[in-house]
Amino acid sequence: MTRFITSSFSHLILLIGILIMVVPVWMIFASSTHTSSMINMNGLQMFLGDSFYENYLRVLLYQGGFFKEITALKMFFNSFIMATGVAILSVVTSLMAAYALVYYRIKHATLLFWIIFITILVPLELRIFPTYSVMAELNLVNSYFGLIVPISASAIATLFFRQFYKTVPDELLESAKLDGANTWRFFVDFLIPLSKTMIVAMLIFMFVFGYNQYLWPLLVTTSEQYWTVVMGLKMMSGSIVHRFAFVIMSMVPPILIIIVLQKHFIKGVFQDK
Amino acid sequence: MSFLDLKNVTKIYPNGTKAVHETSLSINEGEFMVFVGPSGCGKSTLLRMVAGLEDITEGDINLDGKLMNEVDPSERDVAMVFQNYALYPHMNVYNNLAYGLKNRGIDKETIEQKVNDAAKLLQISDYLQRKPSMLSGGQRQRVAMGRAIVRNPKIFLFDEPLSNLDAKLRIQMRLEIKKLQQKVGVTSIFVTHDQVEAMTLADRLAVINNGIIEQLGTPIEIYDNPKSLFVAGFIGSPQMNFLDGNLKNKTLSAEGFEIKDINSDYEGEVTLGIRPEHLIQTENGLINLKVDLVEQLGSDNLVYGQLKNKKDFCYRCPGNQTIEKGSNLSLNIENNKHYIFDKSTGKRVN
């Protein structure tokens, strides 16, 4: 009986926690399906209205910005390009950096690794002016390349891959060598397939990281053509229901990615071989 | 010229440890050579130098008439079976076997043919589509050997491949390795610390200690005629009994008994070695043994006890004899099969 009470109690706490997190999101979603005048008069709504299609379609296709050059659809496209670019580029560079650090006979490889790792302590915000001036010199302002490259070196991903490579037994490399695999083949035929789950996990992680960028895209894009979703949240003007609809839509891509790939994500982060 | 030639091969690690001292060795084509010695004696290092996985500090290694020192492991045409098998965990058995062939640019049909032949030979045809994690220890061992055989290399290298198996499987795989090697006829080097494995597998064996080959010969030569105290103690199970003694005028005085007409002119402190199986029970024998413990193996009994001076001693007798704990045995050395070693250098003197 006491067990029943304690377990009910802990379930109650968990339920309250879930409600605290879910209810505001639900309220925004529910409100976004009403008309503006309804919200302005009656405040936030708990139940669905009947303006869902109307509001969401308008938001997707509305020409926003000062110069009316950008639609939400285009912002989603930009964000997708940026997030995917960041994810792929950072995973590829981290994989290769970790490979070099672990398998090449580099002097002071550990020291080099820690130097790379220290960059975690130097966030983009701290180096934003030099980074911007480099991009400006290279004429990469207002381009996808400029959006992606400066935030695509990931010390965290390098750490993950390095730690994983260190657990790969030496005999595997030796055996592969005797089987005629050169350095490149060992990387492609062994390390990449062996770290597959971790690669997927890092892709998700870096996708969300790229998608959530705000300050850097704000700085490096002056043309509305390159606005991203997260920037749009601030820039989009319009009635309250349309903003709500945009907020809800902006959450969809990362959530979708995580739902679809969460099995790999969990396996990759808590790797048990 | 022999097939594999090691000339004054030396290995010094960057930290200054000398793992292998100027070692020279010739292995004939088709021969099964075993390197045996305690762990850390340099036997694996020597093998890995042949494979090309360790650099050679000094000396030359010639394989089939070609100098191998600077040749990349992948170009040496050697195959190795590792202690933990080192199977490719993400590939199925078929691809494990085929991988080395693919890298050599062999066409698909030939690869399939070769893999299937090797699988048949090793009786792993049923598992070709399985991943290594779904195989038992013995099956993994076979796959590891299949990976070596399929490439048809000039030389097989085995680095303690049986030590991860349970006792029964080890004996079975030992037999299979020997049969397989005889069937395929490939020159092989097998590294082990297990002297029974060494004795049963080897055409010739090299007993290695502290980076030096102490003795090289057929298993029987080495068993019958150990050239040093180390070899005598290492080969043979249970271990040879060692007693302190003194040699003078061809007479050996050991603890409590004398042996005359020793075939040696050496004089001084010596160690007398007697194998447990070279003793017979007689009346008024040289050696008096007080029995502490009898291990009955069925075919044999191992009798452990102490001599008068409290020195431990072992005697092996046929299993049909009943020997009581606490009894006193009187033993003689069979046909003068005793070994005398210089106490300071460990070299054989008789």
Side-chain angles (χ1 to χ4, degrees), chain A residues 214-231:
Chain A
Y214 173 65
L215 187 60
W216 178 247
L218 192 67
L219 217 71
V220 84
T221 62
T222 50
S223 155
E224 291 174 2
Q225 283 298 322
Y226 289 99
W227 278 14
T228 64
V229 173
V230 179
M231 282 167 77

Side-chain angles (χ1 to χ4, degrees), chain B residues 127-140:
Chain B
Y127 321 125
L128 282 178
Q129 296 310 318
R130 288 198 201 168
K131 292 265 176 77
S133 56
M134 294 160 75
L135 302 176
S136 68
Q139 289 164 346
R140 286 180 201 184

Side-chain angles (χ1 to χ4, degrees), chain A residues 174-175 177-179 189-190, chain B residues 48 88 90 99 147 151:
Chain A
E174 290 173 347
S175 187
K177 263 191 201 166
L178 290 173
D179 259 347
D189 291 345
F190 289 82
Chain B
R48 291 165 57 83
Y88 309 143
H90 57 298
Y99 185 72
R147 207 167 57 181
R151 281 191 8 222

Side-chain angles (χ1 to χ4, degrees), chain B residues 309-330:
Chain B
N309 57 356
K310 303 285 176 205
K311 191 118 183 146
D312 289 329
F313 202 82
C314 176
Y315 159 54
R316 181 183 208 143
C317 68
N320 52 17
Q321 287 183 25
T322 15
I323 290 168
E324 295 290 325
K325 193 180 150 189
S327 60
N328 278 300
L329 299 180
S330 164

Side-chain angles (χ1 to χ4, degrees), chain A residues 8-210:
Chain A
S8 315
F9 184 66
S10 50
H11 277 89
L12 190 71
I13 291 178
L14 289 173
L15 274 174
I16 292 171
I18 290 170
L19 286 178
I20 288 174
M21 286 194 273
V22 170
V23 167
V25 178
W26 171 255
M27 282 172 80
I28 290 174
F29 177 64
S31 302
S32 73
T33 60
H34 290 271
T35 58
S36 289
S37 52
M38 168 82 174
I39 304 294
N40 286 335
M41 284 193 295
N42 302 323
L44 293 174
Q45 298 297 307
M46 283 301 282
F47 301 100
L48 294 176
D50 43 20
S51 306
F52 177 81
Y53 285 110
E54 194 194 317
N55 289 345
Y56 278 77
L57 269 179
R58 200 197 101 95
V59 169
L60 276 180
L61 302 174
Y62 175 72
Q63 304 275 319
F66 294 117
F67 303 101
K68 308 287 177 211
E69 280 178 346
I70 182 94
T71 61
L73 212 55
K74 182 76 202 283
M75 286 188 221
F76 277 108
F77 177 76
N78 287 344
S79 277
F80 182 76
I81 296 278
M82 181 177 174
T84 313
V86 169
I88 291 174
L89 195 61
S90 60
V91 166
V92 168
T93 50
S94 307
L95 268 171
M96 298 207 286
Y99 182 53
L101 286 170
V102 175
Y103 285 98
Y104 282 66
R105 288 182 197 167
I106 306 171
K107 268 195 182 167
H108 311 300
T110 314
L111 182 73
L112 275 175
F113 167 71
W114 287 113
I115 291 173
I116 292 175
F117 195 71
I118 282 175
T119 61
I120 285 181
L121 302 176
V122 189
L124 181 74
E125 287 76 8
L126 215 62
R127 59 175 167 95
I128 203 145
F129 285 112
T131 307
Y132 181 81
S133 66
V134 169
M135 285 293 126
E137 291 279 317
L138 292 173
N139 242 344
L140 289 172
V141 176
N142 282 328
S143 69
Y144 289 123
F145 201 75
L147 276 173
I148 293 167
V149 172
I151 52 170
S152 291
S154 169
I156 299 250
T158 310
L159 167 80
F160 267 89
F161 288 128
R162 173 182 180 261
Q163 295 316 99
F164 173 68
Y165 291 166
K166 285 187 160 241
T167 65
V168 173
D170 287 344
E171 283 89 350
L172 208 60
L173 172 67
E174 290 173 347
S175 187
K177 263 191 201 166
L178 290 173
D179 259 347
N182 56 26
T183 348
W184 175 247
R185 284 249 73 90
F186 181 67
F187 183 55
V188 174
D189 291 345
F190 289 82
L191 291 179
I192 290 181
L194 285 173
S195 46
K196 207 166 60 192
T197 49
M198 190 170 278
I199 288 173
V200 174
M202 285 300 136
L203 280 174
I204 299 170
F205 188 76
M206 296 312 296
F207 182 91
V208 174
F209 172 77

